[in-house]
Amino acid sequence: MQLLHLANFVLYNLLQSRITFIVIFHCWQRNETLQFAQQIYNSPQLIYHQFVHLNDWNWEHLEQRYLDHQQPTLAIYVDLQCVRSEALLKEASHSQLYNQHYHWVLHDSLSGFGFYKFFAPFNLSVDANVDYVKQQLLDNGDTNYAVYDVYSNGNHIGGKLNMTGNYEVNCNVTKCTLKCYLSTLHLRSKYGHREQLRDVVLRVATVVTQRPITWSPECLIRYLSQDNNTHIDAIARFGFHINLVLKDILQCGMNYTFTDRWSYSDINGGSVGAVVDQTADIASAPCLATEGRLKRMSAIIETGYFRSVCIFRTPHNAGIRGDVFLQPFSAIVWYLFGALLLLIALLLYLVFYVEYKRMPRRRHLNYMPSLLTTILISLGAACSQSSALIPRSTGGRLAYFALFLISFIMYNYYTSVVVSSLLNSPVKSDIKTMQQLAESSLEVGLEPLSFTKSYLNYSLRPEIHLFSKLKIETQTNNPELWITAEKGVLRVRDRPGYVYVLEASSGYAYVEHYYTQQEICDLNEILFRPELLIYTHLHRNSSYKELIRLKLLRVLESGVYRKHRNIWARMKLHCYAQNFVITVGMEYVAPLFFMLICGYVLVLLLLLLELAWERYVQRAR
């Protein structure tokens, strides 16, 4: 009879937990197991179940043999009255199976089991889903089941076993009825009940790249806690400050271990390696979510940005451009405009010819202008220049009016486009990609960051391989290849054409401090690596994943994250071109001077030829 009561309780418990899969470890007789199975089969809810007799249990590969599943949560019932149940529970603790993927129902029908003392040293986690059930027979034949929620904040880091009364139910052969709630646990979510970690000390892997990790822990913590010089170790210190907020929310202790890099390779060494091999519970500094890392770690929440760029000013001797004076019109427009000017020149020549031959002498010029003269008049009109030669006839003057009208329209459009092009912004380099930069003759320097060195070695992008081969390997003996961000930014300012690779969140602070607005607008930027988000990572099997995710979401929603990001991260340089006058340099004006010089040289040559011809004619006479 009691097995029927127990079956109804198990069904009630599964309904409350919304689980339909259960493995039952027992030591019952065959007929008792049959009664239990029939009661589950006759329930209105479909329950998938499997019976495992503890006497037949094999110690090896517990999870793979009996508990392997693809459901969100698998329920496991264990009868604590069975002799081998203790060994089962110890093996589950050794295999770290008290987690969110398993819902344990530990049924105690004995008064002297001593559950707390027995379970206290077990490897329970904060996300454990364990119900300890105490059974009591009632006078009316029903059975009372008192259910306790059992978890620990982490036995391996000082957590104590916590047992909180949840509810009591009375069960008979047909159903179970809720008797009472033993606490307010039903009013809160699972992590609402477990939101504090007061009794544990989380192990935190902490990154420090700009200070010697041989410093004492107190000095390093003091350095990371400061909020001045935010451009130094920006990402690491930003993550550390967010970690301090998390510490206050969880009300836990934190034990810091220090490393000078995120990792040596994708998942080995550094703070990432400490989380992967579970010697640390969390890393203070966020990192990139790469494919290799996501196989061993879980990205909990976005906590920053990562932007690595190459900056340089356009070399003055490499920016001479003459095409700006041709850009307002396409080639076909220039050809049509030239043809139109030539056509009007021919028309004017015809007008002057007719006037000279047909009109009275007092109404036309005393001489006949040449075709070259009319072409010069047409070209002068296109350049907004007038002419002393004007047709006397009405038709000729209308042709002259049409010439000046079309020249006026073309000239105004042309000058407006040219002026806006020249004064809109400083000249920019044609180098836009990493491949173009690698193939250029520009000198390169890099900020000495561990993740930059790792990226050069492990990136699969062909343009990065080419850049490393042509710009890095050729300067292995150059002591000026790896220089500090401050020195590199100043060198970019003072040496146009020098390229410096830096991390934006730290390097932009130097740019804003040392550069004028005009120099900022003059900068060229090339993404050294794709712009990516960085995430707080925990081990893939960490029991703190959901709890920390919820707490960090609260930090994000409350605006605390945005406040710290605005202090520590600079992701963009602002160019306010309207605040200063942009001077048109020789890179634009040089072609004009060159054309002027060529014109005067040509005129001089023609003058000399004319003088020589005139002198030759005079001698011939």
Side-chain angles (χ1 to χ4, degrees):
M1 189 69 68
Q2 290 184 12
L3 276 179
L4 298 180
H5 298 177
L6 178 61
N8 287 333
F9 167 75
V10 170
L11 291 172
Y12 180 87
N13 186 275
L14 293 179
L15 180 64
Q16 296 296 314
S17 303
R18 300 178 181 177
I19 301 174
T20 57
F21 294 81
I22 186 170
V23 178
I24 301 169
F25 290 92
H26 66 96
C27 55
W28 309 325
Q29 301 297 327
R30 185 179 298 273
N31 62 330
E32 294 175 329
T33 305
L34 181 60
Q35 293 179 20
F36 194 99
Q38 287 176 341
Q39 190 71 3
I40 293 179
Y41 181 78
N42 294 329
S43 67
Q45 182 180 358
L46 181 62
I47 301 295
Y48 298 91
H49 56 280
Q50 177 184 358
F51 290 90
V52 180
H53 201 287
L54 284 172
N55 291 335
D56 301 328
W57 180 55
N58 192 323
W59 288 84
E60 296 181 357
H61 310 297
L62 168 63
E63 186 173 17
Q64 290 79 2
R65 295 190 61 182
Y66 299 111
L67 307 180
D68 190 20
H69 68 286
Q70 296 181 353
Q71 305 303 317
T73 306
L74 174 68
I76 304 173
Y77 169 86
V78 180
D79 188 350
L80 297 182
Q81 187 177 2
C82 300
V83 176
R84 301 199 64 184
S85 62
E86 294 185 6
L88 168 65
L89 298 179
K90 290 179 180 179
E91 179 63 20
S93 173
H94 178 73
S95 302
Q96 300 181 359
L97 299 182
Y98 298 110
N99 54 52
Q100 62 181 339
H101 301 298
Y102 299 99
H103 172 65
W104 293 81
V105 181
L106 308 181
H107 175 214
D108 181 10
S109 57
L110 300 175
S111 57
F113 182 77
F115 179 83
Y116 188 92
K117 183 178 180 180
F118 172 72
F119 230 72
F122 276 20
N123 188 13
L124 258 70
S125 59
V126 71
D127 65 343
N129 196 354
V130 178
D131 283 348
Y132 171 60
V133 183
K134 294 180 67 174
Q135 174 183 314
Q136 181 181 4
L137 298 178
L138 301 179
D139 295 337
N140 61 358
D142 292 351
T143 304
N144 176 268
Y145 296 96
V147 181
Y148 297 84
D149 179 58
V150 181
Y151 74 95
S152 171
N153 287 332
N155 178 268
H156 62 293
I157 52 176
K160 306 299 181 182
L161 186 66
N162 186 297
M163 294 180 60
T164 305
N166 193 354
Y167 60 87
E168 287 187 7
V169 293
N170 293 335
C171 297
N172 52 36
V173 295
T174 58
K175 64 177 181 178
C176 288
T177 305
L178 177 67
K179 177 183 179 183
C180 64
Y181 289 106
L182 302 178
S183 67
T184 60
L185 187 62
H186 65 287
L187 300 177
R188 304 188 297 273
S189 64
K190 174 181 177 179
Y191 290 101
H193 173 57
R194 309 175 186 191
E195 62 180 355
Q196 307 296 338
L197 302 177
R198 295 188 180 93
D199 56 346
V200 302
V201 179
L202 292 178
R203 301 166 298 172
V204 183
T206 310
V207 178
V208 181
T209 63
Q210 300 298 320
R211 295 293 185 270
I213 60 173
T214 54
W215 282 11
S216 65
E218 294 78 13
C219 292
L220 290 174
I221 292 175
R222 189 182 308 116
Y223 157 70
L224 292 171
S225 303
Q226 295 172 349
D227 56 5
N228 58 344
N229 297 324
T230 56
H231 55 281
I232 301 175
D233 248 351
I235 296 179
R237 294 169 69 191
F238 167 62
F240 185 82
H241 278 255
I242 295 296
N243 202 61
L244 291 179
V245 176
L246 181 64
K247 176 183 177 181
D248 292 338
I249 295 176
L250 294 175
Q251 297 186 15
C252 64
M254 287 190 174
N255 181 29
Y256 299 99
T257 57
F258 300 95
T259 177
D260 61 350
R261 64 190 65 216
W262 275 259
S263 64
Y264 289 96
S265 62
D266 218 17
I267 58 173
N268 296 320
S271 63
V272 173
V275 174
V276 169
D277 60 27
Q278 295 186 299
T279 56
D281 301 303
I282 187 174
S284 67
C287 62
L288 295 173
T290 64
E291 181 180 357
R293 288 173 180 172
L294 292 178
K295 293 179 180 179
R296 306 288 297 276
M297 305 168 70
S298 294
I300 302 301
I301 190 173
E302 168 201 328
T303 46
Y305 299 86
F306 183 83
R307 191 166 186 265
S308 189
V309 296
C310 310
I311 62 172
F312 63 98
R313 297 181 65 190
T314 306
H316 295 311
N317 59 350
I320 297 178
R321 296 176 55 188
D323 59 336
V324 68
F325 300 102
L326 301 176
Q327 284 179 349
F329 301 119
S330 64
I332 186 64
V333 175
W334 282 115
Y335 293 146
L336 289 176
F337 186 49
L340 183 61
L341 292 178
L342 182 59
L343 178 62
I344 293 178
L346 294 173
L347 181 60
L348 287 176
Y349 177 76
L350 182 59
V351 168
F352 283 123
Y353 177 80
V354 172
E355 289 181 358
Y356 185 77
K357 295 293 185 180
R358 302 294 184 182
M359 292 180 66
R361 186 169 297 278
R362 58 185 177 81
R363 295 191 59 190
H364 65 75
L365 298 176
N366 296 327
Y367 63 96
M368 174 62 194
S370 65
L371 180 59
L372 184 60
T373 302
T374 58
I375 292 176
L376 189 60
I377 292 173
S378 180
L379 183 61
C383 299
S384 295
Q385 301 298 318
S386 184
S387 173
L389 301 179
I390 302 175
R392 301 298 179 89
S393 63
T394 303
R397 293 190 176 188
L398 287 176
Y400 217 74
F401 175 76
L403 171 63
F404 276 98
L405 180 61
I406 190 173
S407 298
F408 173 78
I409 295 173
M410 295 286 289
Y411 180 79
N412 279 274
Y413 180 82
Y414 174 82
T415 53
S416 62
V417 173
V418 169
V419 170
S420 63
S421 299
L422 292 176
L423 300 183
N424 183 44
S425 62
V427 62
K428 294 294 184 179
S429 172
D430 292 331
I431 300 175
K432 303 296 183 183
T433 65
M434 285 300 299
Q435 181 172 351
Q436 291 176 326
L437 178 60
E439 295 172 347
S440 71
S441 60
L442 301 181
E443 183 183 356
V444 172
L446 301 95
E447 186 178 4
L449 299 173
S450 58
F451 45 78
T452 300
K453 298 177 181 179
S454 299
Y455 186 68
L456 288 172
N457 292 329
Y458 298 105
S459 174
L460 300 178
R461 295 171 59 193
E463 58 268 30
I464 296 299
H465 290 174
L466 181 64
F467 176 82
S468 180
K469 179 180 179 180
L470 298 180
K471 297 295 185 182
I472 307 301
E473 296 177 6
T474 57
Q475 301 187 67
T476 53
N477 297 324
N478 182 10
E480 297 295 315
L481 177 62
W482 299 91
I483 57 177
T484 61
E486 183 176 14
K487 187 176 180 180
V489 167
L490 289 174
R491 186 170 294 185
V492 169
R493 184 195 66 180
D494 300 332
R495 291 167 52 180
Y498 177 80
V499 182
Y500 187 67
V501 182
L502 50 75
E503 203 283 314
S505 62
S506 59
Y508 280 171
Y510 290 114
V511 174
E512 293 175 350
H513 179 72
Y514 290 114
Y515 283 44
T516 65
Q517 278 297 320
Q518 185 169 356
E519 290 168 340
I520 291 177
C521 292
D522 189 35
L523 279 178
N524 297 274
E525 283 189 4
I526 301 174
L527 279 178
F528 178 66
R529 62 192 303 171
E531 187 173 340
L532 299 171
L533 299 173
I534 51 179
Y535 299 83
T536 294
H537 285 74
L538 274 75
H539 192 275
R540 194 172 184 83
N541 296 325
S542 173
S543 59
Y544 302 102
K545 285 194 302 185
E546 186 64 18
L547 178 62
I548 292 180
R549 186 186 69 84
L550 293 173
K551 297 304 180 184
L552 289 179
L553 276 176
R554 179 58 180 164
V555 172
L556 185 66
E557 293 169 352
S558 62
V560 175
Y561 165 76
R562 180 180 292 274
K563 170 190 172 183
H564 284 280
R565 188 188 67 180
N566 292 338
I567 294 174
W568 294 98
R570 290 175 175 84
M571 304 309 299
K572 186 178 181 181
L573 289 173
H574 298 283
C575 170
Y576 302 101
Q578 65 271 20
N579 292 348
F580 56 87
V581 177
I582 299 177
T583 305
V584 179
M586 284 297 295
E587 62 271 8
Y588 289 120
V589 181
L592 295 181
F593 284 109
F594 181 73
M595 292 169 59
L596 182 62
I597 293 172
C598 290
Y600 278 115
V601 170
L602 181 60
V603 169
L604 181 60
L605 290 176
L606 291 176
L607 177 61
L608 293 176
L609 287 174
E610 288 181 352
L611 292 175
W613 177 258
E614 185 66 25
R615 187 173 181 180
Y616 172 76
V617 171
Q618 289 179 358
R619 286 184 178 181
R621 290 178 181 176

